[in-house]
């Protein structure tokens, strides 16, 4: 079946998967969604036989239907190779009764690598298929992890240019060091005096600024996005939900066909939405548990049916990649559940004008959240008991999951999606484990964590504080557009 993509806000033009990937976002500001939801065409039993790469092919061919087998396999094999430090790519690891789907074995040690290792290949292939001859400019707003993963993916990829905006004071020391030391002639990293929402909103505005787009097209540039608003980010993330399920069957935690819960530490709602797509495609999922930190706009939304950013303060927490109040991919879920572009558009308008909208999500989802204190307790608890170290984001999910079980008594087997290596947030992880580390320097924390965890510092960040800082620009949050215009002369 050929799957076309259309805008959540009703733009009449349908596009192919490869066109949606090149464009990133629809012209009316909506996000691309599949017109019909694909269904798996392989027997579910087969998932236990597939390698990660084979499973990726079996799933992606159903979603990105205008790519040929040869193209898809090329993209997959180029992405999921020795860049990952385990052949499994995304192993499920057990600690006590919890199952952690570790998505941090790629080059930047966070889950964004799962999609951003393949996106540059999907995008280049898409450009070729669609006769796009302009240079592709990837504009990315990052809460810390997307930026680095996108930079690694696109560095020195011919025909592309990448500009990353990150909140100057809103990322961890390791995250910042990873970005500002990025090499590659086509890379550009810019700090902004604002938070992630400011960066994401400004970038989305540039994507729908038709005048600017025309001006740059004349100069030989087109924009695309490496954020999870790009369907090319979401599609590869569907794969690991199937893969986790297969591992849970193989390890005897569930029987083939049983339902499984997933608890997902959530910011922009991209990761968990991929889980929803996996479910729609035929994976036996019971609940998707959406875990938030103190920026619990999603928790309140699931509880009350009101999404509101009115009178809500943006909190800087120990899980910065989830410090988000405007959760972009929720728009896609609203579209699927309301089955109406008109309703979706009006909710998004309400959010812009009134700062809130109303919609009641059915019980396929549950919302929970964890405070910083609860997050720290979870890290310490699991470390003391099982010597397993969770990063701060994964710990938000673990603490949220425990609260969910206490409230509901739901004993469906569960997988906690583990989104980052603890090394990426070593300082806060250590602080959680013992207050003697309260004043440890961010980079000394790496060595300390190595000592107590017994797991070596991952190669990608070893000695990172000694690398040369190559990107020093910091701009105001209203200067993104002029920055881009000046840069692309
Ligand atoms: C991006 C990120 C998240 C949130 O994922 P979304 O797809 O934005 O919901 C959670 N944890 C880490 C470590 C991340 O980098």
């Amino acid at each position: 079946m050929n799957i076309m993509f259309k805008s959540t806000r009703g733009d009449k033009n349908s596009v192919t998967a490869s066109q949606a990937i090149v464009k990133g976002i629809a012209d009316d500001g909506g996000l691309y969604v599949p017109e019909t939801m694909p269904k798996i065409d392989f027997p579910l039993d087969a998932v236990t036989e597939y390698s990660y790469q084979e499973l990726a092919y079996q799933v992606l061919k159903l979603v990105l239907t205008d790519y040929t087998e040869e193209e898809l396999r090329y993209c997959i094999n180029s992405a999921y190779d020795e860049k990952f430090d385990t052949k499994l790519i995304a192993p499920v690891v057990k600690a006590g009764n919890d199952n952690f789907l570790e998505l941090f074995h790629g080059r930047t040690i966070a889950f964004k690598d799962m999609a951003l290792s393949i996106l540059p290949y999907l995008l280049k292939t898409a450009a070729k298929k669609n006769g796009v001859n302009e240079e592709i400019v990837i504009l990315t707003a990052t809460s810390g992890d997307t930026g680095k993963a996108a930079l690694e993916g696109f560095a020195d990829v011919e025909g592309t240019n990448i500009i990353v905006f990150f909140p100057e004071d809103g990322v961890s020391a390791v995250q910042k060091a990873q970005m500002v030391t990025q090499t590659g002639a086509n890379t550009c990293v810019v700090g902004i005096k604002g938070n992630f929402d400011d960066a994401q909103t400004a970038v989305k505005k540039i994507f729908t600024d038709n005048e600017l787009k025309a001006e740059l097209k004349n100069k030989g540039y087109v924009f695309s996005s490496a954020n999870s608003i790009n369907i090319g980010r979401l599609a590869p993330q569907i794969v690991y939900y199937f893969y986790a399920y297969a591992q849970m069957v193989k390890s005897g935690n569930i029987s083939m066909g049983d339902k499984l819960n997933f608890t997902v530490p959530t910011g922009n709602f991209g990761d968990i939405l991929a889980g929803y797509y996996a479910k729609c495609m035929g994976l036996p999922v019971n609940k998707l548990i959406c875990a938030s930190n103190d920026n619990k706009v999603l928790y309140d939304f699931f509880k009350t049916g009101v999404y509101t950013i009115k009178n809500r303060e943006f909190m800087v927490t120990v899980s910065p990649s989830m410090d988000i109040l405007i959760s972009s991919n929720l728009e896609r879920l609203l579209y699927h559940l309301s089955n109406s572009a008109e309703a979706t558009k009006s909710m998004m308008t309400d959010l812009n004008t009134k700062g809130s909208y109303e919609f009641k999500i059915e019980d396929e989802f549950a919302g929970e959240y964890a405070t910083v204190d609860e997050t720290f307790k979870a890290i310490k608890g699991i470390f003391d008991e099982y010597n397993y170290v969770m990063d701060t984001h994964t710990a938000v999910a673990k603490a949220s999951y425990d609260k969910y079980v206490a409230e509901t008594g739901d004993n469906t087997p569960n997988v906690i999606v583990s989104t980052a290596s603890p090394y990426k947030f070593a300082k806060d992880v250590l602080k959680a484990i013992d207050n003697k580390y309260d004043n440890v320097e961010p980079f000394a924390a790496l060595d300390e964590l190595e000592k107590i965890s017994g797991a070596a510092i991952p190669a990608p960040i070893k000695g990172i504080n000694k690398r040369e800082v190559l990107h020093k620009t910091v701009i105001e949050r209203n200067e993104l557009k002029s920055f881009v215009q000046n840069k692309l002369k």
Side-chain angles (χ1 to χ4, degrees), residues 84-366:
F84 287 76
D85 66 12
T86 158
K87 273 213 156 53
L88 285 175
I89 308 293
V92 173
V93 174
K94 213 172 168 71
N97 288 325
D98 291 306
N99 306 288
F100 294 95
L101 170 61
E102 293 186 349
L103 301 179
F104 55 77
H105 290 275
R107 249 191 320 205
T108 75
I109 64 173
F111 102 96
K112 304 297 196 292
D113 289 325
M114 300 307 297
L116 284 163
S117 301
I118 192 170
L119 184 65
Y121 296 100
L122 292 174
L123 186 61
K124 278 221 71 168
T125 306
K128 207 154 109 197
K129 291 171 81 70
N130 291 288
V132 176
N133 297 315
E134 290 88 358
E135 183 142 321
I136 299 177
V137 181
I138 310 294
L139 281 191
T140 298
T142 185
S143 55
D145 291 329
T146 291
K148 179 61 184 181
L151 287 162
E152 275 297 327
F154 283 99
D156 292 325
V157 172
E158 210 187 301
T160 71
N161 233 300
I162 170 156
I163 306 175
V164 168
F165 298 102
F166 73 97
E168 169 74 0
D169 297 317
V171 299
S172 84
V174 173
Q175 286 179 312
K176 185 167 174 178
Q178 281 183 303
M179 288 190 278
V180 297
T181 60
Q182 177 68 45
T183 57
N186 64 340
T187 64
C188 171
V189 180
V190 184
I192 68 156
K193 293 184 191 157
N195 61 39
F196 172 72
D197 287 330
D198 297 326
Q200 174 161 264
T201 304
V203 165
K204 272 189 176 171
K205 220 159 151 187
I206 294 175
F207 280 126
T208 49
D209 185 332
N210 289 328
E211 221 168 281
L212 178 65
K213 282 199 290 192
E215 175 191 326
L216 290 176
K217 189 146 180 143
N218 272 334
K219 296 180 180 160
Y221 298 107
V222 288
F223 289 127
S224 188
S225 166
N227 283 99
S228 53
I229 54 177
N230 193 321
I231 196 78
R233 268 280 300 276
L234 284 182
Q237 295 178 178
I238 300 169
V239 177
Y240 53 72
Y241 284 91
F242 283 93
Y243 194 64
Y245 188 91
Q247 290 179 76
M248 288 292 280
V249 171
K250 282 205 250 187
S251 60
N253 280 289
I254 55 170
S255 302
M256 184 52 76
D258 286 355
K259 285 196 170 172
L260 195 54
N261 287 347
F262 286 94
T263 305
V264 189
T266 298
N268 227 354
F269 212 76
D271 198 357
I272 194 167
L273 186 76
Y276 175 73
Y277 282 173
K279 180 178 184 177
C280 295
M281 290 173 75
L283 188 69
V285 175
N286 176 42
K287 286 263 187 201
L288 291 161
I289 301 154
C290 173
S292 301
N293 63 21
D294 282 307
N295 294 293
K296 60 186 185 56
V297 60
L298 288 166
Y299 165 79
D300 292 335
F301 176 57
F302 284 115
K303 279 273 182 289
T304 64
V306 182
Y307 191 100
T308 177
I309 55 171
K310 255 187 310 192
N311 307 325
R312 202 183 276 279
E313 211 179 311
F314 185 97
M315 317 263 264
V316 174
T317 74
V318 296
S319 40
S321 305
M322 299 161 66
D323 288 345
I324 294 175
L325 292 177
I326 303 170
S327 194
S328 285
N329 280 291
L330 193 60
E331 176 170 348
R332 286 190 163 107
L333 183 68
L334 295 171
Y335 175 84
H336 292 302
L337 296 180
S338 68
N339 207 7
S340 159
E342 210 180 317
T344 309
K345 186 174 176 178
S346 116
M347 285 186 267
M348 292 304 114
T349 306
D350 283 351
L351 184 63
N352 266 335
T353 54
K354 299 185 214 154
S356 72
Y357 61 81
E358 286 180 35
F359 188 86
K360 193 79 187 117
I361 302 276
E362 0 182 338
D363 50 23
E364 285 177 291
F365 286 84

Side-chain angles (χ1 to χ4, degrees), residues 5-11 13 26-33 335 341:
F5 291 81
K6 61 184 171 186
S7 165
T8 47
R9 300 190 191 174
D11 189 340
N13 298 321
D27 290 330
D28 63 354
L31 306 186
Y32 284 116
V33 284
Y335 175 84

Side-chain angles (χ1 to χ4, degrees), residues 348-451:
M348 292 304 114
T349 306
D350 283 351
L351 184 63
N352 266 335
T353 54
K354 299 185 214 154
S356 72
Y357 61 81
E358 286 180 35
F359 188 86
K360 193 79 187 117
I361 302 276
E362 0 182 338
D363 50 23
E364 285 177 291
F365 286 84
E368 261 307 339
Y369 78 102
T371 62
V372 171
D373 192 43
E374 288 166 333
T375 306
F376 276 3
K377 283 202 176 105
I379 292 174
K380 182 168 172 55
I382 291 285
F383 176 73
D384 285 350
E385 205 152 345
Y386 307 107
N387 211 39
Y388 182 77
V389 190
M390 295 184 287
D391 98 286
T392 45
H393 303 74
T394 307
V396 166
K398 161 67 179 156
S400 297
Y401 174 65
D402 288 348
K403 285 165 88 171
Y404 167 80
V405 172
E407 267 168 42
T408 60
D410 181 356
N411 61 2
T412 310
N414 177 65
V415 168
I416 292 171
V417 177
S418 176
T419 47
S421 158
Y423 278 104
K424 211 157 183 175
F425 305 94
K427 187 174 158 51
D428 285 317
V429 166
L430 283 175
K431 211 163 143 181
I433 288 173
D434 194 324
N435 55 20
K436 76 176 185 205
Y437 296 115
D438 280 4
N439 296 316
V440 69
E441 297 294 330
F443 296 104
L446 301 180
D447 299 316
E448 292 299 325
L449 188 56
E450 186 171 48
K451 277 184 222 154

